[in-house]
Amino acid sequence: MYPEIGADLSNEYLKAIAEKKESGFFDAELMNPYKAREELTRKFAWAIPTREALSEIVIRCNQYKVQKVVSIGAGTGYWESLIAAEWGDWRVYAYDTSPPSEEGENPYKHTAQYYPVKKGGPEKAGEHWDTSALFLCWPPFAEPMAEEALKAFTGRVVIYIGEGLGGCNGTDAFFSALYEDWEEVSDVRLPQWYGINDHMTLYRRKGVGPAFVI
């Protein structure tokens, strides 16, 4: 009932999961997997990053001549900090309508901020060049944020992390637009919390070709 992380301990999120596993925390009480998820998603991010996922982002962005990543709904900025460490911090722009604060005043009570997260919503996706990638990690369920960001976005790659159509992220309109105007390039399975079926999928805008073939 704990995320299967294998031998990958390349970031603090994975190390925190490994520590809980080794301590027997997941086995002590029936509710502990849910408690661990609540604690660590609040501290880090809704999705669990891996070395494979971060490498795939950099490889595919280079393949499609992407110059920067624009994250909408960045939360603590944890994924953004790892992408920046992998690819260069000048390449990553992060926005959230309620950035973390020391007082934990945002809706998810985030106090940690791992990367500079500026205040802004889906409209920020339209303020960057077409040589960009849109990063959406766990957009809120039944709220228009993801579809509005996708509509505003003029770039060439979308990096989506979350559950699929009918899951606990985004709206039907978001997935309809994604399937109509974008083509899947790759899919990376992530370590998953109990009862969660999220993964990372990268899409290219239809009509946009790669600079090289992998």
Side-chain angles (χ1 to χ4, degrees):
M1 296 180 69
Y2 49 79
E4 295 290 348
I5 61 174
D8 187 357
L9 298 178
S10 57
N11 62 66
E12 294 304 312
Y13 200 159
L14 295 169
K15 291 176 183 177
I17 293 170
E19 289 172 2
K20 287 188 179 297
K21 178 182 175 183
E22 291 168 6
S23 70
F25 180 85
F26 290 104
D27 305 319
E29 294 181 18
L30 182 62
M31 289 300 293
N32 273 7
Y34 300 98
K35 293 177 182 177
R37 178 174 182 260
E38 182 179 17
E39 172 192 343
L40 297 183
T41 55
R42 181 176 296 174
K43 182 177 181 180
F44 295 109
W46 289 103
I48 303 169
T50 63
R51 183 183 292 110
E52 178 189 4
L54 295 168
S55 296
E56 183 69 6
I57 289 172
V58 173
I59 289 170
R60 297 298 181 176
C61 283
N62 288 334
Q63 183 186 19
Y64 287 92
K65 295 184 179 180
V66 167
Q67 297 180 359
K68 58 187 175 181
V69 171
V70 180
S71 175
I72 305 298
T76 66
Y78 190 69
W79 272 83
E80 293 75 9
S81 72
L82 297 177
I83 296 170
E86 187 84 9
W87 202 33
D89 56 9
W90 61 276
R91 293 180 179 271
V92 182
Y93 296 76
Y95 302 96
D96 199 290
T97 53
S98 300
S101 66
E102 293 182 359
E103 296 78 20
E105 295 173 342
N106 77 349
Y108 301 107
K109 299 181 180 179
H110 291 144
T111 55
Q113 186 168 149
Y114 299 92
Y115 190 80
V117 178
K118 297 180 180 180
K119 187 175 180 61
E123 74 283 351
K124 293 295 183 180
E127 295 182 6
H128 295 269
W129 304 328
D130 61 356
T131 53
S132 59
L134 175 62
F135 184 77
L136 296 169
C137 180
W138 269 73
F141 173 68
E143 294 184 20
M145 184 270 274
E147 63 188 83
E148 290 178 357
L150 189 62
K151 183 178 181 179
F153 182 59
T154 62
R156 54 187 62 177
V157 168
V158 170
I159 305 160
Y160 168 70
I161 302 175
E163 295 193 324
L165 179 64
C168 57
N169 300 107
T171 60
D172 290 351
F174 166 69
F175 288 103
S176 294
L178 196 60
Y179 300 151
E180 182 176 347
D181 300 324
W182 299 81
E183 183 173 328
E184 182 177 327
V185 172
S186 65
D187 186 88
V188 177
R189 183 173 177 82
L190 301 174
Q192 297 171 339
W193 290 104
Y194 181 70
I196 301 298
N197 188 33
D198 59 347
H199 52 101
M200 183 181 82
T201 308
L202 287 89
Y203 299 86
R204 68 172 178 88
R205 187 183 293 276
K206 289 182 178 178
V208 172
F212 54 87
V213 178
I214 296 177

